[in-house]
Amino acid sequence: MVIWRSDRINIKVLQYQVVFGDLEANLERVQEVFAKENLKGTDVVVLPEMWTSSYDLENIKQHACHHLEPAKSIIVSLAQEYDVNIVAGSVANMKADPEKVYNTAFVIDRKGKLIYEYSKMHLVPMLNEPEFLAAGRDKVNTFMLDGNTCGIVICYDLRFPELFRDLALKGATSIFVVAEWPMARKSHWETLTRARAIENQLYIIAADTYGEIGDQKYAGRSMIVGPFGESVDEAADHGDATLTGRLDGSEVDRIRKEVPIFDSRKREMYHFL
């Protein structure tokens, strides 16, 4: 299952505190965060979930983007200015129906082209998301970044291992998890992130926010985990942080040969996948 297509790619995950319910402030904030980073030699920059508004759900229609705008234009400009691919976290987003707001992740390549978007399908009952957000109806798929096969999921999706296995079977060697994960369940975040990497033998790049935002306290602890479950880099549970890591395709290939779980699967014995 050797499917890596290019040399190693350099990742930066930006952990910072999102402003509650203020689209304009958050658009300015993301530009400030990029401006202070040294992005020379970086291939991919990763942002957290709902970075345009956080979970101001009661007012989410006021903060929502429309077909990803104006957030998309800002990210396109940053991608072109700094010559990086951007896994642009997710934003509150209206599409054709003005009554529905989705939690939509999107990816912009270094030329400024939108190459993938995904709206969160699993909404969090503990945070009353289904009352304010619409669940995405499209299945997850892979996309290419600098010739490498990647996937992206959003926060609560981390609790659904079948989603990750689906992406792995479609060829993903890296999966981005963008999140605003609550501090109350921080231990789950750490355990599940590592588990998803180990059981699928791929890189998990997990970006979270931190601190008290609105009526929630978020866990921080952004992580890059390698295909054998090893920590490539990780942040504290509080404070701005920049994680760096190099995603090495030869390491994915090596692990999958040493422990050949994909060859050992017994599909005829399972009721799913």
Side-chain angles (χ1 to χ4, degrees), residues 20-263:
F20 186 74
D22 192 331
L23 175 62
E24 292 303 319
N26 283 309
L27 293 177
E28 291 179 10
R29 176 80 166 120
V30 74
Q31 294 174 84
E32 292 168 358
V33 170
F34 268 75
K36 75 176 185 180
E37 290 293 330
N38 177 9
L39 296 176
K40 184 177 181 180
T42 301
D43 299 303
V44 181
V45 177
V46 189
L47 301 178
E49 179 188 20
M50 294 287 270
W51 60 268
T52 51
S53 62
S54 191
Y55 270 89
D56 184 10
L57 291 178
E58 292 186 358
N59 302 300
I60 202 64
K61 289 183 180 179
Q62 299 174 33
H63 313 310
C65 295
H66 294 262
H67 298 283
L68 300 177
E69 294 293 1
K72 178 185 167 186
S73 291
I74 297 294
I75 297 299
V76 166
S77 295
L78 291 171
Q80 294 172 331
E81 178 180 356
Y82 294 99
D83 189 29
V84 292
N85 304 292
I86 302 177
V87 176
S90 74
V91 301
N93 183 45
M94 289 183 178
K95 301 181 182 180
D97 187 340
E99 295 304 311
K100 290 184 178 180
V101 179
Y102 297 87
N103 183 345
T104 304
F106 65 104
V107 182
I108 302 292
D109 72 12
R110 61 177 77 244
K111 295 180 180 179
K113 180 182 177 182
L114 174 69
I115 59 172
Y116 186 70
E117 66 177 272
Y118 158 73
S119 292
K120 185 178 181 180
M121 66 173 70
H122 300 109
L123 300 180
V124 186
M126 300 86 77
L127 298 178
N128 298 320
E129 281 188 2
E131 294 182 27
F132 301 97
L133 298 174
R137 303 298 300 171
D138 294 330
K139 294 182 179 180
V140 291
N141 213 331
T142 58
F143 56 91
M144 303 300 289
L145 276 182
D146 288 356
N148 300 299
T149 308
C150 304
I152 187 169
V153 301
I154 302 173
C155 202
Y156 191 49
D157 288 336
L158 185 61
R159 294 186 178 274
F160 299 86
E162 55 269 44
L163 205 58
F164 289 76
R165 180 52 55 90
D166 187 19
L167 287 167
L169 291 172
K170 289 175 178 174
T173 50
S174 301
I175 298 177
F176 299 92
V177 182
V178 299
E180 285 202 340
W181 195 278
M183 178 65 79
R185 294 177 283 279
K186 183 182 76 166
S187 64
H188 294 190
W189 166 258
E190 295 169 340
T191 300
L192 293 172
T193 298
R194 202 172 301 279
R196 298 294 89 88
I198 294 169
E199 68 196 6
N200 293 293
Q201 298 174 321
L202 43 65
Y203 287 93
I204 297 290
I205 305 97
D208 196 14
T209 190
Y210 72 89
E212 294 183 8
I213 306 174
D215 60 358
Q216 289 289 329
K217 186 174 183 180
Y218 294 98
R221 293 291 288 156
S222 297
M223 305 169 71
I224 303 174
V225 181
F228 209 60
E230 73 280 13
S231 175
V232 176
D233 200 2
E234 56 189 64
D237 60 12
H238 193 82
D240 289 1
T242 301
L243 305 191
T244 59
R246 178 174 288 182
L247 310 188
D248 185 348
S250 64
E251 184 68 3
V252 173
D253 295 339
R254 183 183 70 80
I255 295 301
R256 289 179 174 179
K257 288 175 182 176
E258 281 189 6
V259 187
I261 60 171
F262 292 97
D263 294 335

